[in-house]
Amino acid sequence: MHTLPPPPIHPQRRLARQVRERLVDGLCSGLVGVDRALLEFLGALVAQTGTQREMQDRRDAWQQYQLHGSEWVRCVSAAWRAALAPSTAGPPPGSRPSELTFELVDDNVVENKILASRMALIVLEQVGSGFDPLRLRVQVLEGMDPPATDILRPETVALHLVDAWVKAGLKRTDLQTVLDPLQRELADLLQKVYRACNDFLQAQGVAAQQDLRVRRAPTSGAAGLQASPAARALEQSQEAVAAARAQAQAAMRGQASRMGGSGTVYAAPPATTLSGMTPLARARQRAHGVMGQLRRLLTQPVTGFDMVNAPPASAALAQALATHRVQADTFYSTVGTPVEDYSPAAVVQLAGVVRQRSAELKKKADTQGEKAIIEVVALMFQSILAEDRIPPAVRVWFARLQVPVLRVALADPEFFSNLGHPARLLIDRMGSCALGFDATSITGSALEAEIKRIVQVIEQYPETGNRVFQLVYDEFEKFLAKFLTEKQATSRLVSVAQQVEQKETLAIQYTIELRTMLKDMPVRDEIREFLFKTWAEVLALSAVREGPQHADTVAFKRTAADLVWAASAKPNRSERAQVIQSLPGLLQRLRQGLALLGITGAKQDALIKGLTDTLAEAFLSKTAAIPVEHIEAMAKRLANLEDFIGDAVMGDLPLDADSIEMMTGIDASAIHVVADNGAPVDDAMVAWAQELQPGNWFTLDHNGASTQVQYAWHSQRKQLHLFAATDGSSFLIQLRRLAAYLQAGLLVAREEEGLTVRATRDALAKLNANPERLLG
């Protein structure tokens, strides 16, 4: 009896299988580079100075990865290859997609899915230009969209990566530590692999075709046959949003159910959740989602626009844009700054001008892609004009940027997908700084004048591109640094705060170095404590006031080495005689240093007596002496200590309103010093506090009073932060206390997302409601 041969594989399915095999081969080959990058990152992290807990955690993570990293690489490769079999087979043609199923899922599985979904969301924003055409080409071959668990999808690649991490014996918390470099390396690798797979299928004659409508239930009536191109373009984006919302809801149900223990019912698909994140991280994730929707909308073939290789604007449209620039140049050179009408009626009228201008430009556009871009930019600026939290004087000037931004958007499609695009950054920064002013307070101010100047420069700039936006963005940041601290009282407060931070940082660094140098020396505990707690402060204060190489500072450094030598055993007569001879000078320098710290009178006498008693005991000790060469090596290192010390995390600052008043001479009644109080705070909140941008506005709840404040300044090492209120009062807040205020909701940003992101969201809402206008 002869067995029948297996049925032949359809050529298109064979091609789809080959592209998945190529993808997995490329991923596995590139995993070596990812592994190397993570090891280098962890090694660099170990070398950084931090708290004892942080340094121990970093060492543990580095050691664990050295032990288990190779096993993780093996597990990831095995998981990716194993994922080929089910993905290649796929569901039978014509079958309906499986409904949302529920199953018993372990807590670890849910945690892995949440982490992988977050990772995939960031990665997808960077690799979408490669993944989207590959997905469409595979859709052509198989007659269906790749399923959610397909190895082609970034979320599936990321999930196997996270699962393998835990399976290899590595901690999930360590994965959070390396998340940034891992996402970056994975995105680079996926982009290369997607590009290679697209090239392979392109060579086989497989084009990325959209709107296959395979396995889709027909709609009733003529409306299903005559859906507009723009509606079809938006359909897929809407489906993606709905799917993401369902997954997020499932994840949130899972998070809530975990309170009762493992073995709870969870939705089976990978989940995305926003819980456990700072508001800044949530805002960024939402912003990436908005930008992703816009990018998908503008990369639909119906728009005729390729975001990777954008063609130059059509001749008539380019001429119209150039004419607008020439007119602006001529106007400003002859008239100067125009007298603007900032009344509500004028703002409404200006919104009509934005609408009319876009309609005129659309008439000159040759392609559907150009019309779509003109419409989106117009809708964004209509939204900006309607933002009534920003003074009309600023919105009116923002409206003049419509054409310059349109020029950039036509020439550089990254404007629609890159949150860090200089045009977006500039508008967001100017908008956030103007947010806390009313029409009266901003009129005639330096901020209003700077915004006017920037807009005029952009309107008249001869080139089309990002350069002018980047130039004026850098100029605006420099302006802010001066504008926010230009008041005399604020300037003096900033100067003192910076010196305090510098002194405290140096004190910690000197203490660390002294501990290192004395680690293996037989030095009495009394001397160690004096050097670590008191003399390190003397060295730091002298270095800040006089400079690290000033004669007094150098003498204080030498005093530390002399004190260590004098307090060591002196078994021979010549050394004892040398101690007796040098003791008066040593005690004089010690008193001079203590006086520098403000330690005088009885307190100084008590400290000196304790030291002399210790020296007397050492004088009679019969233990081994410290070799002279060790003392000289210590003195030499102390003399040039600034060449060796690195960054350090500051502890509590001896800072209060009275000391500020004493050092600056200004009235301290309007200065609220909020120093660290030891309140527990998450590291993520500390990182968030260090990312705040000067100029942004917040609502501060301090001692029961709510105040609108503008973030005005941070010290060099971001350990001190200054907020200015509109009533003239100031809040000087230490880093961890600032993080605690953010964590407790006592400091809340007036806006969590940029002005252009809100404008993009509004534009998408209008296009969802009326998609035909995209090409109308």
Side-chain angles (χ1 to χ4, degrees), residues 530-531 534-535 538-539 542 550-566 578-579 581-597 599 604 608 611 615 631 635:
F530 175 78
L531 289 174
T534 303
W535 205 248
V538 172
L539 296 179
S542 181
H550 188 272
D552 289 346
T553 308
V554 172
F556 290 143
K557 292 176 180 178
R558 180 70 209 192
T559 299
D562 290 346
L563 181 62
V564 170
W565 178 80
Q578 189 176 350
V579 170
Q581 183 179 1
S582 63
L583 188 58
L586 176 62
L587 294 178
Q588 182 182 0
R589 293 195 302 274
L590 288 172
R591 287 186 179 277
Q592 181 184 354
L594 293 174
L596 185 66
L597 293 183
I599 300 176
Q604 183 185 102
I608 294 295
L611 291 175
L615 294 177
I631 298 295

Side-chain angles (χ1 to χ4, degrees), residues 582-660:
S582 63
L583 188 58
L586 176 62
L587 294 178
Q588 182 182 0
R589 293 195 302 274
L590 288 172
R591 287 186 179 277
Q592 181 184 354
L594 293 174
L596 185 66
L597 293 183
I599 300 176
T600 58
K603 186 176 181 181
Q604 183 185 102
D605 292 340
L607 275 174
I608 294 295
K609 183 179 185 304
L611 291 175
T612 54
D613 290 346
T614 302
L615 294 177
E617 292 178 11
F619 191 82
L620 302 174
S621 175
K622 302 299 182 182
T623 57
I626 300 176
V628 175
E629 56 269 22
H630 288 184
I631 298 295
E632 290 303 319
M634 175 182 175
K636 183 177 180 180
R637 185 176 177 90
L638 278 170
N640 299 283
L641 196 56
E642 291 74 25
D643 296 336
F644 304 98
I645 57 181
D647 290 337
V649 176
M650 293 173 59
D652 292 337
L653 291 179
L655 195 65
D656 54 37
D658 292 337
S659 63
I660 289 289

Side-chain angles (χ1 to χ4, degrees), residues 406-581:
L406 178 57
R407 292 166 61 193
V408 169
L410 288 166
D412 181 12
E414 282 200 0
F415 174 79
F416 294 107
S417 60
N418 180 12
L419 288 171
H421 192 283
R424 284 184 173 273
L425 290 177
L426 176 67
I427 297 173
D428 287 345
R429 289 293 278 138
M430 292 193 300
S432 63
C433 293
L435 193 65
F437 293 98
D438 56 26
T440 303
S441 59
I442 201 171
T443 301
S445 67
L447 178 61
E448 182 196 31
E450 179 65 8
I451 291 175
K452 288 180 180 180
R453 185 194 70 83
I454 284 175
V455 172
Q456 291 180 42
V457 169
I458 293 173
E459 278 196 287
Q460 299 172 82
Y461 202 75
E463 299 178 17
T464 296
N466 298 340
R467 186 165 180 265
V468 63
F469 284 97
Q470 187 64 58
L471 286 173
V472 294
Y473 174 75
D474 294 340
E475 291 176 357
F476 187 68
E477 289 290 355
K478 293 177 182 177
F479 161 81
L480 277 182
K482 180 180 178 182
F483 169 72
L484 296 173
T485 59
E486 64 183 358
K487 293 180 181 178
Q488 184 177 6
T490 304
S491 178
R492 293 167 68 183
L493 176 60
V494 163
S495 177
V496 170
Q498 186 68 67
Q499 290 181 39
V500 170
E501 183 199 59
Q502 185 182 0
K503 178 253 181 182
E504 290 302 313
T505 303
L506 280 174
I508 292 172
Q509 292 169 333
Y510 285 140
T511 302
I512 292 172
E513 289 300 320
L514 286 169
R515 288 182 185 276
T516 302
M517 285 185 279
L518 299 181
K519 183 174 62 174
D520 298 323
M521 290 188 185
V523 180
R524 291 172 177 267
D525 290 342
E526 298 87 347
I527 300 298
R528 289 178 185 271
E529 183 176 6
F530 175 78
L531 289 174
F532 298 159
K533 293 185 177 179
T534 303
W535 205 248
E537 295 278 340
V538 172
L539 296 179
L541 186 55
S542 181
V544 170
R545 285 189 178 181
E546 309 293 346
Q549 296 304 319
H550 188 272
D552 289 346
T553 308
V554 172
F556 290 143
K557 292 176 180 178
R558 180 70 209 192
T559 299
D562 290 346
L563 181 62
V564 170
W565 178 80
S568 65
K570 299 295 177 288
N572 60 66
R573 182 176 299 176
S574 63
E575 288 185 341
R576 288 198 292 270
Q578 189 176 350
V579 170
I580 294 172
Q581 183 179 1

Side-chain angles (χ1 to χ4, degrees), residues 233-250:
L234 284 169
E235 184 176 5
Q236 192 172 37
S237 174
Q238 293 167 332
E239 290 174 353
V241 173
R245 184 181 295 113
Q247 291 178 0
Q249 291 170 348

